[in-house]
Amino acid sequence: MSLSRICATFIVVLLAIMPANAHAERIRDLGQFEGLRANQLTGYGIVVGLQGTGDDNLEYVREAMRGVSGRLGLQLPPGVSPNLRNAAAVIITAELPAFSKPGQRIDITVSTLGQARSLRGGALVLAPLYGADGQIYAMAQGNVAVGGLGVSGRDGSQVSVNVSTVGRIADGATVEKGVATGFDREGTLRFNLHQADFLTAARVRDAVNGMYPGIAKVADGVSIELALPFGNDERSAALAAIEMLPVTPAPVAAKVIINSRTGTVVINEAVRLAPAAISHGKLVIRIDENPTVVQPAPFANGETAIEEDTQITIEEADSRVALFPGAANLNEIVDALNLLGVQASDLVVILESMKQAGALQAEMVIL
């Protein structure tokens, strides 16, 4: 059975068909410096100017509009409840990059909070964005760009394309306050790997000490401590040079990832097999019921009866045996499984059985 026919029933994502030589990565691609990260901002606001697709039946939208009107000097009379079909309550989210300064602009995402059907054509009224500490770090305002489309008829029929209840505003928020990173106050700065690995941490340490002798040491499997010079200019120059140093990461651990819902199987090139033989076959039993209605002869005073007709067929698919040599690589594993003609569910069972038999030298992760 060809590989294309197998892929019609399940997907095997091959991280590498043949073992490849390890290649160097830049240090900046292996992790990030501690504290030099983005911070999440959230806020609550009102989008106005909608074409009848807003939250006209939500009380908190009306209260928010009273507040907006009050800030603009317009006080609504007591007891007046405006019909706000053209306004919608939204949650605003954004990321504040490291070293952001007041006056800089950042992108924001606007999402409906209530029952608004679309934000197309709306404009966000000035709203504050808060950090995790409850302080205001940015102010958001602007026209919402929506990529989705929704149309409904009087009979209740609807047609939707993508999502029209979420929009973006490019450069929609102005930074009002920066976040202290401690970049220029600490004597040491930590570099944290994306993936914990002692060998990779040791190689990063050696690469840094090769350029700046004695400034780097391994703190644990994730962190490398860097004793950097004080002064923004000197420290920035050192970090810029360190980020571009090439480092060969440690070989990846052998893993097999199985998504039981989609039938996706990921096998990386580090997977190896001990000697094993696998037999794969299927026994299919089919029972067909074909009842026949039998009518009595005329004037025979008989009754209509049903005559049962059962047909049983048994089919056994060809069973093949595949032999895996010791230390078989990914290419040999895939070729052998293709020879067996396995489907998605069969592949999962085979891999689990090989793991139980001790022939699969890898960690299995089932999602």
Side-chain angles (χ1 to χ4, degrees):
M1 184 176 293
S2 64
L3 179 60
S4 60
R5 186 173 178 183
I6 295 297
C7 290
T9 55
F10 68 92
I11 301 174
V12 177
V13 182
L14 305 181
L15 297 186
I17 296 300
M18 293 294 291
N21 295 327
H23 56 280
E25 302 282 355
R26 298 176 301 179
I27 287 182
R28 69 184 304 172
D29 298 325
L30 298 177
Q32 64 181 20
F33 293 101
E34 189 173 82
L36 310 186
R37 62 178 181 85
N39 292 271
Q40 286 71 38
L41 303 179
T42 57
Y44 170 84
I46 297 294
V47 172
V48 298
L50 304 178
Q51 297 180 338
T53 59
D55 293 322
D56 59 327
N57 60 340
L58 295 179
E59 185 62 30
Y60 59 83
V61 181
R62 298 169 183 169
E63 292 300 324
M65 283 304 298
R66 289 179 182 274
V68 171
S69 301
R71 292 200 304 268
L72 298 178
L74 175 62
Q75 298 295 334
L76 295 179
V80 174
S81 181
N83 187 359
L84 299 176
R85 296 184 59 189
N86 294 341
V90 295
I91 292 295
I92 311 165
T93 58
E95 282 196 351
L96 183 66
F99 304 115
S100 294
K101 300 297 187 294
Q104 292 183 322
R105 304 188 69 86
I106 56 177
D107 298 342
I108 61 175
T109 300
V110 180
S111 308
T112 58
L113 181 62
Q115 300 177 354
R117 299 189 302 275
S118 175
L119 295 178
R120 179 175 295 276
L124 176 68
V125 180
L126 185 65
L129 299 182
Y130 298 88
D133 57 0
Q135 299 187 34
I136 297 176
Y137 286 90
M139 297 296 294
Q141 181 172 280
N143 297 322
V144 182
V146 178
L149 174 64
V151 180
S152 61
R154 292 184 178 180
D155 61 352
S157 59
Q158 296 181 351
V159 176
S160 298
V161 179
N162 297 328
V163 179
S164 59
T165 54
V166 177
R168 294 272 295 178
I169 304 180
D171 294 335
T174 303
V175 178
E176 301 294 333
K177 180 181 178 182
V179 178
T181 61
F183 166 73
D184 55 347
R185 289 192 297 240
E186 301 292 336
T188 60
L189 186 65
R190 286 196 171 195
F191 179 81
N192 298 323
L193 298 174
H194 293 316
Q195 299 291 334
D197 191 284
F198 285 102
L199 180 55
T200 302
R203 289 179 177 179
V204 171
R205 175 203 60 198
D206 295 340
V208 174
N209 286 336
M211 174 173 284
Y212 300 103
I215 73 167
K217 64 178 181 179
V218 175
D220 50 42
V222 172
S223 302
I224 299 94
E225 291 185 351
L226 306 175
L228 298 172
F230 283 100
N232 290 349
D233 187 63
E234 294 80 2
R235 180 164 291 197
S236 298
L239 291 182
I242 289 173
E243 283 185 328
M244 301 307 295
L245 290 175
V247 172
T248 301
V252 296
K255 283 189 177 182
V256 177
I257 313 296
I258 299 173
N259 191 319
S260 58
R261 297 183 297 274
T262 63
T264 302
V265 179
V266 179
I267 307 174
N268 67 16
E269 67 170 348
V271 174
R272 295 292 183 269
L273 297 179
I278 300 175
S279 176
H280 174 73
K282 287 186 176 180
L283 181 65
V284 179
I285 301 176
R286 182 176 178 179
I287 301 176
D288 293 324
E289 297 286 354
N290 299 306
T292 303
V293 178
V294 180
Q295 299 288 350
F299 309 106
N301 295 326
E303 295 182 357
T304 302
I306 297 178
E307 182 179 343
E308 299 291 344
D309 182 13
T310 302
Q311 295 181 352
I312 301 177
T313 57
I314 300 177
E315 299 179 359
E316 185 174 6
D318 295 337
S319 179
R320 301 179 180 180
V321 178
L323 175 64
F324 288 91
N329 59 32
L330 179 58
N331 192 37
E332 295 169 340
I333 297 172
V334 173
D335 288 342
L337 294 177
N338 288 339
L339 178 64
L340 295 176
V342 296
Q343 297 181 356
S345 58
D346 300 325
L347 179 61
V348 173
V349 173
I350 289 175
L351 293 175
E352 289 180 340
S353 300
M354 294 173 65
K355 178 68 174 179
Q356 292 297 323
L360 180 61
Q361 307 299 328
E363 177 187 357
M364 292 191 64
V365 180
I366 300 179
L367 304 178

